[in-house]
Amino acid sequence: MTDAAAVIVAARFAFDVAALFLWGAGFYLWRLVPAEIGAGLWRRLSAARLTAFAGLVLAVVVTLPSRTALLGDGWSSVTDSTLIGSLLWNTSIGTAWLVQAALAGALALLVLARRDSPAVTAPMAAALLASTTLTGHAATYEGWLRALHQANAVLHLLSVGAWIGALVPLLLVLPLLANRATAAGAGLALTRFSTMGHVAVALVLVSGGINTVLIVGGLPTDTRSAYQVLLIVKIAVVGAMVSLAVVNRYLLVPRLRLWIGAPKALVAGTLAELVLAAAAIALVAWFGTLQPTQ
């Protein structure tokens, strides 16, 4: 892997982590968490949100020169205005980058103006996630099949974000269950997360399977292909995440008031899901730069 390719992978990882978090956390706090605790939780996530915003903007900024270096003659090509112009205006990579730059810039302005509420941030983060399907494997087909693949890829990304992005504010919801003043709101937020989680996980699995068939042409069984090997590892990681989610929901949540160690175990299980999610996102960022037959 060249230096430029490594930067692209790192930028895609940072972009995806930030956008998935902002979409999932924003949607959860906007639509599913009672208002009496939602606003406070959004404020408590300010450091995480600012980090995500900064990572998002930085990822977009470094992607264009990295793409230029990869397509040209190395880093010396980043000053080649003709190559940059051709990349921006004549390729799907350029189209996706322009959309992402516009959305990231608008989001940055909202942050500076302190207008980045969940109701604003979540839709913009969703649009940023959707923009990644303008190029890459989701844009390889033509006509209706291309539209179908892109729509399925958007559904997959939004479902993933709704699941794992919401896990971060959920960690802040759990301690509120022990406080009499916030227990009712926290309990409702936990119940709504559970309902949403069932739908999100089901959509992740179904849309992920469709993506795999559309990209690979079937099951990823070719161990000579680095892309397919990494995809197999990613599927295993997602399987572990689903298993943890099932344990958390059906073993630990019902015991929150019956077993003194259940709250800590649930927090640990949620953190483990987030670690596995980061590994899965890193794998996607890596094999997303490869061809299915490589």
Side-chain angles (χ1 to χ4, degrees), residues 6-40:
V7 172
I8 290 170
V9 171
R12 179 60 189 270
F13 173 75
F15 181 97
D16 286 353
V17 167
L20 288 167
F21 162 64
L22 292 172
W23 153 245
F27 177 77
Y28 180 53
L29 293 174
W30 172 33
R31 303 301 300 174
L32 301 179
V33 174
E36 63 267 21
I37 63 173

Side-chain angles (χ1 to χ4, degrees), residues 42-79:
W42 185 249
R43 288 193 297 270
R44 289 178 62 188
L45 287 172
S46 59
R49 289 189 287 112
L50 288 174
T51 301
F53 290 135
L56 197 63
V57 172
L58 181 60
V60 172
V61 168
V62 303
T63 294
L64 182 61
S66 302
R67 290 285 188 184
T68 305
L70 190 63
L71 294 174
D73 297 321
W75 293 109
S76 61
S77 299
V78 299
T79 57

Side-chain angles (χ1 to χ4, degrees), residues 191-204:
T191 300
R192 288 175 175 174
F193 172 83
S194 177
T195 302
M196 178 195 70
H198 282 78
V199 176
V201 171
L203 289 175
V204 166

Side-chain angles (χ1 to χ4, degrees), residues 137 140 212 214-231 287-294:
H137 297 122
T140 54
T212 297
L214 288 172
I215 294 172
V216 178
L219 296 176
T221 57
D222 186 359
T223 55
R224 297 168 298 176
S225 164
Y227 179 99
Q228 295 193 34
V229 169
L230 292 171
L231 176 56
F287 67 67
T289 64
L290 305 176
Q291 294 302 315
T293 54
Q294 280 184 310

